[in-house]
Amino acid sequence: MNELISLNDVVINREYIIDKVLVDDKRFYNLGIIENSKIKALYKSPFGNPTAFFVKGSIVAIRNDDAKLIIVRRY
């Protein structure tokens, strides 16, 4: 069974499946960050915040504080 981790702790260039979004925020839904979606960390900014992710055909930047509220498992 795949371990659940926060999106903040993922490995760059590895794919994950979103398990839960622990905040009720339409921003995430509008970006395609919903349960059972694939997401891949592309790179961190030079200072480590935010991180760029590939999800639903788009690249989105998510701040670390928000990434902590998104739970994923390895794809």
Side-chain angles (χ1 to χ4, degrees), residues 22-71:
L22 300 175
V23 63
D24 186 21
D25 193 331
K26 287 186 180 182
R27 290 179 304 148
F28 293 127
Y29 180 81
N30 291 336
L31 293 171
I33 299 171
I34 55 176
E35 293 178 7
N36 297 316
S37 292
K38 252 198 277 189
I39 191 165
K40 180 179 182 180
L42 298 178
Y43 48 86
K44 288 189 178 271
S45 69
F47 295 105
N49 192 21
T51 301
F53 295 92
F54 184 76
V55 61
K56 300 276 186 176
S58 296
I59 297 174
V60 297
I62 301 175
R63 289 176 291 212
N64 293 343
D65 288 344
D66 291 330
K68 290 177 185 176
L69 302 173
I70 301 168
I71 307 302

